[in-house]
Amino acid sequence: MVKAIIAPSMLSSDFANLASEAERMLNCGADWLHMDIMALHSSAVTECCICALQDGHFVPNLTLGAPIIESLRKHTKAYLDCHLMVTNPLDYVEPLGKAGASGFTFHVEASRDNWQELVQKIKSKGMKPGVSLKPGTPIEEVYPLLDGENSVELVLVMTVEPGFGGQKFMPEMMDKVRTLRKKYPSLDIEVDGGLGPSTIEAATSAGANCIVAGSSVFGAPDPAQVITLLRGSVEEAQKRS
Ligand SMILES: O=C(CO)[C@H](O)[C@H](O)COP(=O)(O)O
Ligand SMILES: [Fe+2]
């Protein structure tokens, strides 16, 4: 049976106090810390400004990168679950590996031409490879990454459009989770976006076992209580299945 993993999204934390926010979440029972890495690939700008402006931004936001992961690593031994929302994830493998990232989850939309090289490199740097997909991307797109030689070990199903915390959960994404769980019973299936006490049931009964939650955890008066509730939902759903 796959393990229940609760990963507060540090995107909702106080970035100016990242180390103490991380410690606070771990004390509240977090298993992983979810790190949202959003950036514009700089060489895309140099190579073709117009393309970069039209679609080079993987998301319309800028968050953190390897230097911050490296700084945080000095303060914690926690599993740092990095979610790469960038146009060229390959550029980030070496720096994030060096910085001390634990998981490296890239987007299938940004790696259609080089996912095999990417997975190989992620593994060679000692990180756990994962693939994510945007709401508009069909689940079938990740199958080759799960069935081949260089397979990923986690699939992150986005349940909001990537880019920002605090958005509304998209329940229609649960069909992807159900399909994936049926086909891959021992896979880590992560859900990200809009998860909290009112939406967790839909995700866990579909088969998700890794739960990313930002605003619902950081915005709660008692984050530990929310983390316990999320974990309980994964475990209850697993008992029922
Ligand atoms: O990847 C993300 C956004 O692109 C975040 O991880 C996600 O949005 C978490 O925040 P919340 O739980 O508030 O929705
Ligand atoms: Fe994320």
Side-chain angles (χ1 to χ4, degrees):
M1 194 183 284
V2 282
K3 199 176 162 286
I5 292 165
I6 311 302
S9 171
M10 300 307 287
L11 186 60
S12 295
S13 73
D14 174 5
F15 274 11
N17 291 296
L18 197 54
S20 60
E21 288 284 78
E23 198 184 347
R24 181 164 75 98
M25 286 302 123
L26 295 166
N27 289 338
C28 285
D31 301 281
W32 290 358
L33 300 174
H34 185 78
M35 309 300 296
D36 288 301
I37 297 179
M38 306 179 187
L40 169 66
H41 182 223
S42 58
S43 70
V45 182
T46 323
E47 280 160 22
C48 175
C49 267
I50 296 184
C51 295
L53 289 172
Q54 283 175 345
D55 61 9
H57 282 92
F58 194 78
V59 286
N61 200 2
L62 185 67
T63 55
L64 52 91
I68 293 180
I69 299 293
E70 192 180 348
S71 300
L72 183 60
R73 177 51 80 216
K74 290 179 185 140
H75 296 269
T76 182
K77 290 189 168 66
Y79 185 100
L80 300 178
D81 175 40
C82 297
H83 174 196
L84 279 287
M85 286 161 275
V86 300
T87 50
N88 194 353
L90 197 55
D91 286 349
Y92 292 74
V93 179
E94 179 93 36
L96 276 177
K98 265 197 192 137
S102 314
F104 188 113
T105 299
F106 57 88
H107 267 263
V108 70
E109 301 87 358
S111 57
R112 290 188 172 113
D113 303 331
N114 63 355
W115 64 265
Q116 280 180 306
E117 182 189 359
L118 193 50
V119 173
Q120 218 166 29
K121 219 168 156 190
I122 294 167
K123 285 185 177 170
S124 79
K125 300 290 167 196
M127 296 180 285
K128 176 179 169 105
V131 68
S132 182
L133 69 166
K134 289 183 180 185
T137 304
I139 193 63
E140 291 74 20
E141 275 214 32
V142 305
Y143 292 165
L145 286 76
L146 286 159
D147 299 333
E149 199 182 301
N150 292 310
S151 51
V152 294
E153 295 167 19
L154 173 148
V155 175
L156 192 176
V157 175
M158 285 306 297
T159 46
V160 296
E161 282 301 336
F164 299 94
Q167 301 183 76
K168 202 170 166 287
F169 175 74
M170 298 165 82
E172 60 275 27
M173 294 302 121
M174 292 309 100
D175 282 345
K176 292 184 189 178
V177 175
R178 254 186 299 276
T179 307
L180 212 51
R181 178 55 74 216
K182 219 173 171 180
K183 202 164 150 59
Y184 303 97
S186 59
L187 177 70
D188 276 331
I189 303 179
E190 189 169 42
V191 281
D192 185 6
L195 271 308
S198 60
T199 52
I200 188 65
E201 177 63 26
T204 57
S205 55
N209 67 300
C210 301
I211 313 297
V212 176
S215 38
S216 70
V217 170
F218 282 93
D222 185 352
Q225 194 181 40
V226 176
I227 290 174
T228 304
L229 184 151
L230 299 177
R231 187 189 313 288
S233 179
V234 178
E235 290 171 354
E236 280 305 311
Q238 287 183 340
K239 272 188 222 150
R240 285 197 305 269
S241 70

